[in-house]
Amino acid sequence: MEQMKTQHPTLEERYAAFKRDGYTVFESVYDDEMLRSFKETFHRLQDNGIDRQQWWFANTCELAPKQMLPAVTNPLILDFAEKVMGPFVQLDNLTLAGFPSVSLENRNKTGWHRDRWANWPLTEDYTSPLSVNAISYLQDLTDEYGPLRVIPGSHRMPVGIPAEERGKPHPDELVLYVKAGDVVFTHNGLIHSGTQNTSGKIRYFYSVYYNKTWLKHTDNHGGPNVQRIVSEARSRNDHRTMRLFGADEQLQARANSGFLDTDEEMWVKWAAADKAAVKG
């Protein structure tokens, strides 16, 4: 008997869930070869750095463009980011990190937070985020490696967590044991936390953090490798790739469009126009 194929949610279904829950999980976005490349890049950066105990690397699209650019420009993730924020998607920062193992007494220790550019939700109405995170892990998350914890719907809840409770599991949490190569896409207002790694091995993680193009970006996009990416994108009229690195040539017109149609209607038109304009 032929096995039934797994039905993945459509972008529309994901968008509805994202607005409700504040996150969605894309399964098996990156294959073993790409995960191996990310690990090799991490160790190369660590070995070549001044401090060989450095575990957190920013500006990684400049440091390793060949290996890291595919994570920034993944079309599935970018299509969803534009659905969530409109065609105003800029790379805030690209982080590649390893978390060393800690003692078992720290197991289940958390660090609850909302992300950069978030705010305290004032109502329970959904608000389009100023920034989003596309998080991935280079190994399956287990209790030993430290799962991701989220509080679904907290991006639209005017609630917080007392300081003395921020290092503990939360009664409303959902624990996500995501697989290597999955991408967890989160609203910046979602309360979430990693969990301490007690596996005895490195817990590898990377974050493609996007924000709106009129905000400042954390990574420095002025280096020669990134500027070469921008120049090549400009030569083929690829506005989406240019925009990722702070060169949004459409921003002034779109930020002053009159706003007499819904945001989502305009976003679809603008995103389609950008794709149609690409040469080759």
Side-chain angles (χ1 to χ4, degrees), residues 56-73:
W56 190 276
F57 295 95
N59 291 298
T60 52
C61 210
E62 177 64 32
L63 296 174
K66 181 179 178 181
Q67 293 78 14
M68 301 309 295
L69 184 61
V72 180
T73 59

PDB file of all heavy atoms in Angstrom, residues 56-73:
ATOM      1  N   TRP A  56      30.158  32.660  20.262  1.00  0.00           N
ATOM      2  CA  TRP A  56      29.062  33.424  19.653  1.00  0.00           C
ATOM      3  C   TRP A  56      29.648  34.284  18.546  1.00  0.00           C
ATOM      4  O   TRP A  56      30.509  35.123  18.814  1.00  0.00           O
ATOM      5  CB  TRP A  56      28.399  34.290  20.717  1.00  0.00           C
ATOM      6  CG  TRP A  56      27.125  34.949  20.314  1.00  0.00           C
ATOM      7  CD1 TRP A  56      27.000  36.128  19.641  1.00  0.00           C
ATOM      8  CD2 TRP A  56      25.797  34.488  20.569  1.00  0.00           C
ATOM      9  NE1 TRP A  56      25.670  36.426  19.455  1.00  0.00           N
ATOM     10  CE2 TRP A  56      24.914  35.444  20.019  1.00  0.00           C
ATOM     11  CE3 TRP A  56      25.269  33.373  21.212  1.00  0.00           C
ATOM     12  CZ2 TRP A  56      23.529  35.306  20.096  1.00  0.00           C
ATOM     13  CZ3 TRP A  56      23.900  33.248  21.290  1.00  0.00           C
ATOM     14  CH2 TRP A  56      23.043  34.202  20.733  1.00  0.00           C
ATOM     15  N   PHE A  57      29.198  34.095  17.308  1.00  0.00           N
ATOM     16  CA  PHE A  57      29.742  34.831  16.173  1.00  0.00           C
ATOM     17  C   PHE A  57      28.629  35.604  15.474  1.00  0.00           C
ATOM     18  O   PHE A  57      27.624  35.023  15.044  1.00  0.00           O
ATOM     19  CB  PHE A  57      30.415  33.878  15.181  1.00  0.00           C
ATOM     20  CG  PHE A  57      31.619  33.192  15.750  1.00  0.00           C
ATOM     21  CD1 PHE A  57      31.505  31.930  16.316  1.00  0.00           C
ATOM     22  CD2 PHE A  57      32.851  33.821  15.759  1.00  0.00           C
ATOM     23  CE1 PHE A  57      32.599  31.294  16.872  1.00  0.00           C
ATOM     24  CE2 PHE A  57      33.968  33.190  16.314  1.00  0.00           C
ATOM     25  CZ  PHE A  57      33.831  31.929  16.865  1.00  0.00           C
ATOM     26  N   ALA A  58      28.809  36.912  15.371  1.00  0.00           N
ATOM     27  CA  ALA A  58      27.910  37.778  14.627  1.00  0.00           C
ATOM     28  C   ALA A  58      28.567  38.131  13.293  1.00  0.00           C
ATOM     29  O   ALA A  58      29.687  37.722  13.008  1.00  0.00           O
ATOM     30  CB  ALA A  58      27.605  39.041  15.425  1.00  0.00           C
ATOM     31  N   ASN A  59      27.857  38.890  12.458  1.00  0.00           N
ATOM     32  CA  ASN A  59      28.385  39.306  11.150  1.00  0.00           C
ATOM     33  C   ASN A  59      28.846  38.107  10.320  1.00  0.00           C
ATOM     34  O   ASN A  59      29.796  38.205   9.533  1.00  0.00           O
ATOM     35  CB  ASN A  59      29.558  40.290  11.317  1.00  0.00           C
ATOM     36  CG  ASN A  59      29.125  41.630  11.852  1.00  0.00           C
ATOM     37  OD1 ASN A  59      28.336  42.341  11.224  1.00  0.00           O
ATOM     38  ND2 ASN A  59      29.616  41.985  13.024  1.00  0.00           N
ATOM     39  N   THR A  60      28.190  36.983  10.464  1.00  0.00           N
ATOM     40  CA  THR A  60      28.709  35.776   9.827  1.00  0.00           C
ATOM     41  C   THR A  60      28.484  35.747   8.320  1.00  0.00           C
ATOM     42  O   THR A  60      29.144  34.975   7.616  1.00  0.00           O
ATOM     43  CB  THR A  60      28.120  34.511  10.468  1.00  0.00           C
ATOM     44  OG1 THR A  60      26.697  34.609  10.493  1.00  0.00           O
ATOM     45  CG2 THR A  60      28.637  34.333  11.875  1.00  0.00           C
ATOM     46  N   CYS A  61      27.595  36.595   7.797  1.00  0.00           N
ATOM     47  CA  CYS A  61      27.465  36.648   6.337  1.00  0.00           C
ATOM     48  C   CYS A  61      28.689  37.339   5.723  1.00  0.00           C
ATOM     49  O   CYS A  61      29.061  37.043   4.585  1.00  0.00           O
ATOM     50  CB  CYS A  61      26.175  37.381   5.940  1.00  0.00           C
ATOM     51  SG  CYS A  61      25.498  36.784   4.385  1.00  0.00           S
ATOM     52  N   GLU A  62      29.308  38.227   6.463  1.00  0.00           N
ATOM     53  CA  GLU A  62      30.563  38.835   6.029  1.00  0.00           C
ATOM     54  C   GLU A  62      31.723  37.870   6.238  1.00  0.00           C
ATOM     55  O   GLU A  62      32.608  37.756   5.385  1.00  0.00           O
ATOM     56  CB  GLU A  62      30.817  40.132   6.800  1.00  0.00           C
ATOM     57  CG  GLU A  62      32.143  40.817   6.485  1.00  0.00           C
ATOM     58  CD  GLU A  62      32.247  41.294   5.048  1.00  0.00           C
ATOM     59  OE1 GLU A  62      31.210  41.669   4.458  1.00  0.00           O
ATOM     60  OE2 GLU A  62      33.363  41.274   4.490  1.00  0.00           O
ATOM     61  N   LEU A  63      31.721  37.169   7.360  1.00  0.00           N
ATOM     62  CA  LEU A  63      32.829  36.279   7.692  1.00  0.00           C
ATOM     63  C   LEU A  63      32.854  35.018   6.837  1.00  0.00           C
ATOM     64  O   LEU A  63      33.933  34.495   6.544  1.00  0.00           O
ATOM     65  CB  LEU A  63      32.735  35.881   9.174  1.00  0.00           C
ATOM     66  CG  LEU A  63      32.893  37.007  10.197  1.00  0.00           C
ATOM     67  CD1 LEU A  63      32.619  36.487  11.602  1.00  0.00           C
ATOM     68  CD2 LEU A  63      34.276  37.634  10.109  1.00  0.00           C
ATOM     69  N   ALA A  64      31.675  34.527   6.439  1.00  0.00           N
ATOM     70  CA  ALA A  64      31.592  33.276   5.665  1.00  0.00           C
ATOM     71  C   ALA A  64      30.412  33.356   4.710  1.00  0.00           C
ATOM     72  O   ALA A  64      29.429  32.629   4.861  1.00  0.00           O
ATOM     73  CB  ALA A  64      31.463  32.092   6.616  1.00  0.00           C
ATOM     74  N   PRO A  65      30.494  34.222   3.694  1.00  0.00           N
ATOM     75  CA  PRO A  65      29.322  34.450   2.831  1.00  0.00           C
ATOM     76  C   PRO A  65      28.871  33.223   2.053  1.00  0.00           C
ATOM     77  O   PRO A  65      27.666  32.992   1.902  1.00  0.00           O
ATOM     78  CB  PRO A  65      29.792  35.570   1.891  1.00  0.00           C
ATOM     79  CG  PRO A  65      31.291  35.515   1.930  1.00  0.00           C
ATOM     80  CD  PRO A  65      31.637  35.066   3.317  1.00  0.00           C
ATOM     81  N   LYS A  66      29.804  32.431   1.567  1.00  0.00           N
ATOM     82  CA  LYS A  66      29.430  31.265   0.761  1.00  0.00           C
ATOM     83  C   LYS A  66      28.610  30.278   1.582  1.00  0.00           C
ATOM     84  O   LYS A  66      27.624  29.705   1.094  1.00  0.00           O
ATOM     85  CB  LYS A  66      30.687  30.579   0.219  1.00  0.00           C
ATOM     86  CG  LYS A  66      30.391  29.373  -0.657  1.00  0.00           C
ATOM     87  CD  LYS A  66      31.681  28.751  -1.199  1.00  0.00           C
ATOM     88  CE  LYS A  66      31.391  27.513  -2.044  1.00  0.00           C
ATOM     89  NZ  LYS A  66      32.648  26.899  -2.558  1.00  0.00           N
ATOM     90  N   GLN A  67      29.005  30.088   2.838  1.00  0.00           N
ATOM     91  CA  GLN A  67      28.322  29.111   3.678  1.00  0.00           C
ATOM     92  C   GLN A  67      27.025  29.665   4.265  1.00  0.00           C
ATOM     93  O   GLN A  67      26.032  28.943   4.403  1.00  0.00           O
ATOM     94  CB  GLN A  67      29.241  28.668   4.820  1.00  0.00           C
ATOM     95  CG  GLN A  67      30.456  27.874   4.398  1.00  0.00           C
ATOM     96  CD  GLN A  67      31.584  28.743   3.821  1.00  0.00           C
ATOM     97  OE1 GLN A  67      31.573  29.972   3.966  1.00  0.00           O
ATOM     98  NE2 GLN A  67      32.537  28.094   3.168  1.00  0.00           N
ATOM     99  N   MET A  68      27.003  30.960   4.618  1.00  0.00           N
ATOM    100  CA  MET A  68      25.900  31.496   5.407  1.00  0.00           C
ATOM    101  C   MET A  68      24.828  32.213   4.589  1.00  0.00           C
ATOM    102  O   MET A  68      23.680  32.322   5.036  1.00  0.00           O
ATOM    103  CB  MET A  68      26.442  32.448   6.480  1.00  0.00           C
ATOM    104  CG  MET A  68      27.432  31.802   7.446  1.00  0.00           C
ATOM    105  SD  MET A  68      26.866  30.252   8.214  1.00  0.00           S
ATOM    106  CE  MET A  68      25.484  30.839   9.181  1.00  0.00           C
ATOM    107  N   LEU A  69      25.156  32.694   3.398  1.00  0.00           N
ATOM    108  CA  LEU A  69      24.166  33.409   2.603  1.00  0.00           C
ATOM    109  C   LEU A  69      22.921  32.566   2.308  1.00  0.00           C
ATOM    110  O   LEU A  69      21.801  33.102   2.331  1.00  0.00           O
ATOM    111  CB  LEU A  69      24.789  33.926   1.301  1.00  0.00           C
ATOM    112  CG  LEU A  69      23.876  34.776   0.417  1.00  0.00           C
ATOM    113  CD1 LEU A  69      23.409  36.035   1.155  1.00  0.00           C
ATOM    114  CD2 LEU A  69      24.591  35.151  -0.885  1.00  0.00           C
ATOM    115  N   PRO A  70      23.055  31.251   2.027  1.00  0.00           N
ATOM    116  CA  PRO A  70      21.834  30.466   1.776  1.00  0.00           C
ATOM    117  C   PRO A  70      20.843  30.475   2.934  1.00  0.00           C
ATOM    118  O   PRO A  70      19.640  30.338   2.721  1.00  0.00           O
ATOM    119  CB  PRO A  70      22.384  29.058   1.526  1.00  0.00           C
ATOM    120  CG  PRO A  70      23.765  29.276   1.015  1.00  0.00           C
ATOM    121  CD  PRO A  70      24.276  30.453   1.769  1.00  0.00           C
ATOM    122  N   ALA A  71      21.326  30.651   4.167  1.00  0.00           N
ATOM    123  CA  ALA A  71      20.419  30.720   5.308  1.00  0.00           C
ATOM    124  C   ALA A  71      19.661  32.040   5.334  1.00  0.00           C
ATOM    125  O   ALA A  71      18.516  32.099   5.781  1.00  0.00           O
ATOM    126  CB  ALA A  71      21.199  30.544   6.613  1.00  0.00           C
ATOM    127  N   VAL A  72      20.290  33.097   4.842  1.00  0.00           N
ATOM    128  CA  VAL A  72      19.662  34.425   4.832  1.00  0.00           C
ATOM    129  C   VAL A  72      18.638  34.542   3.710  1.00  0.00           C
ATOM    130  O   VAL A  72      17.595  35.175   3.864  1.00  0.00           O
ATOM    131  CB  VAL A  72      20.737  35.523   4.665  1.00  0.00           C
ATOM    132  CG1 VAL A  72      20.102  36.905   4.646  1.00  0.00           C
ATOM    133  CG2 VAL A  72      21.765  35.441   5.780  1.00  0.00           C
ATOM    134  N   THR A  73      18.917  33.929   2.574  1.00  0.00           N
ATOM    135  CA  THR A  73      18.106  34.120   1.367  1.00  0.00           C
ATOM    136  C   THR A  73      17.197  32.937   1.064  1.00  0.00           C
ATOM    137  O   THR A  73      16.650  32.858  -0.038  1.00  0.00           O
ATOM    138  CB  THR A  73      19.020  34.374   0.155  1.00  0.00           C
ATOM    139  OG1 THR A  73      19.906  33.257  -0.018  1.00  0.00           O
ATOM    140  CG2 THR A  73      19.841  35.644   0.335  1.00  0.00           C
TER     141      THR A  73
END
